[in-house]
Amino acid sequence: DSLPVFDAALPAFSFYNFFRENRFVGADRVGDANQLTAAVTSRFLHANGVEQGRVSLGQVSYFSGQRVNLPAGTVNQTRSDLIGEVSARLGQAWYLRTGLQWDSKQHDTRKSSLYVHYRPAGDRIVNLGYRYSDNFLTGAAEPEELADISAQWPLTARWTGVARWNYSLPESRTVQAYTGLQYTSCCWAVRVAARRRLQVDGSVNTSALFEFDLSGLAKMGEAEEAPLQQGRFIFE
């Protein structure tokens, strides 16, 4: 606990992060893992091998208290929240994904999400979603409910447009919005975007983002998560 924290963080608890060897990201903390992670997944396949649906459910059982934490302290719990995910192909280009984090002790929903994806081709997508997080996770006075809309669509052979909008339903205000353009060639890419984000103190920050990417080598600058990444759990 006395070691400084530079880039270590605790990622969101989800089925995607369920089986991480280290529950932290970054090199400043290595989590003690005297635990057993168990999950089950059922997949529904079409006769041609295409996945039509997937249902997953899992939980972590702890055999001792977790002594490595951010912030420092010991967490004593015998089991984690239940994590469940369902994804389904609704048609040729339509997909559904929903997730739930359930506190079995308090019998309460900690986090849930529902997304509908329209993806007619591999390089174009429109996402429509709803996300809920209770105040136990967010630390806020009220639960968080967000509408999430994003899209990525080719404009020409080399130019692609991207946009995303997060809207708080209880507060009736925009939490984050950005729009940008991406130019891609055979071995490099440039991405620029304008972003507007609501800060913790209630102020609004407006910024411009830039990223220069040498394919296969390195990236320079900051960029938002591509809308295509939001559908990666279904299409991988």
Side-chain angles (χ1 to χ4, degrees):
D1 292 338
S2 61
L3 295 178
V5 177
F6 295 102
D7 62 354
L10 194 64
F13 186 64
S14 66
F15 203 88
Y16 182 73
N17 294 320
F18 223 33
F19 295 95
R20 296 177 59 94
E21 294 183 1
N22 183 15
R23 65 178 179 273
F24 299 98
V25 294
D28 303 319
R29 291 293 184 271
V30 178
D32 43 343
N34 190 13
Q35 64 191 49
L36 173 67
T37 303
V40 60
T41 296
S42 180
R43 301 172 66 217
F44 303 90
L45 304 178
H46 194 269
N48 59 8
V50 175
E51 182 178 284
Q52 294 295 116
R54 183 190 312 177
V55 179
S56 302
L57 183 68
Q59 190 175 44
V60 182
S61 298
Y62 302 100
F63 304 124
S64 63
Q66 298 168 288
R67 296 175 296 167
V68 182
N69 291 286
L70 289 174
T74 300
V75 176
N76 293 302
Q77 57 180 342
T78 58
R79 62 182 183 273
S80 71
D81 295 340
L82 279 167
I83 292 289
E85 286 194 354
V86 176
S87 61
R89 181 187 294 264
L90 304 179
Q92 186 64 29
W94 291 91
Y95 302 84
L96 173 72
R97 172 167 58 92
T98 182
L100 176 68
Q101 180 177 337
W102 173 259
D103 187 336
S104 56
K105 291 183 178 180
Q106 301 296 327
H107 302 286
D108 192 16
T109 299
R110 292 300 185 196
K111 185 169 58 175
S112 63
S113 64
L114 175 65
Y115 277 88
V116 176
H117 309 270
Y118 174 67
R119 189 175 184 180
D123 59 350
R124 55 194 68 192
I125 192 171
V126 177
N127 303 303
L128 305 175
Y130 167 82
R131 301 203 314 267
Y132 167 85
S133 297
D134 71 355
N135 49 355
F136 177 82
L137 292 179
T138 62
E142 299 293 334
E144 180 183 76
E145 295 182 75
L146 293 178
D148 188 0
I149 302 174
S150 63
Q152 178 170 321
W153 210 268
L155 304 177
T156 65
R158 297 193 180 277
W159 287 95
T160 300
V162 294
R164 188 173 186 179
W165 180 50
N166 294 147
Y167 184 78
S168 174
L169 299 176
E171 299 177 326
S172 300
R173 63 188 304 180
T174 297
V175 175
Q176 178 183 227
Y178 78 84
T179 183
L181 289 172
Q182 169 181 293
Y183 178 84
T184 306
S185 69
C186 62
C187 52
W188 61 276
V190 172
R191 304 175 185 93
V192 292
R195 180 176 67 185
R196 182 180 176 88
R197 175 177 291 179
L198 180 66
Q199 307 288 54
V200 177
D201 60 3
S203 63
V204 176
N205 174 264
T206 302
S207 60
L209 307 177
F210 172 82
E211 183 182 38
F212 179 67
D213 183 2
L214 292 174
S215 302
L217 294 177
K219 296 181 180 180
M220 181 182 67
E222 181 186 1
E224 294 285 353
E225 179 188 35
L228 281 175
Q229 293 296 315
Q230 294 181 265
R232 65 184 181 272
F233 303 111
I234 291 180
F235 310 113
E236 63 184 5

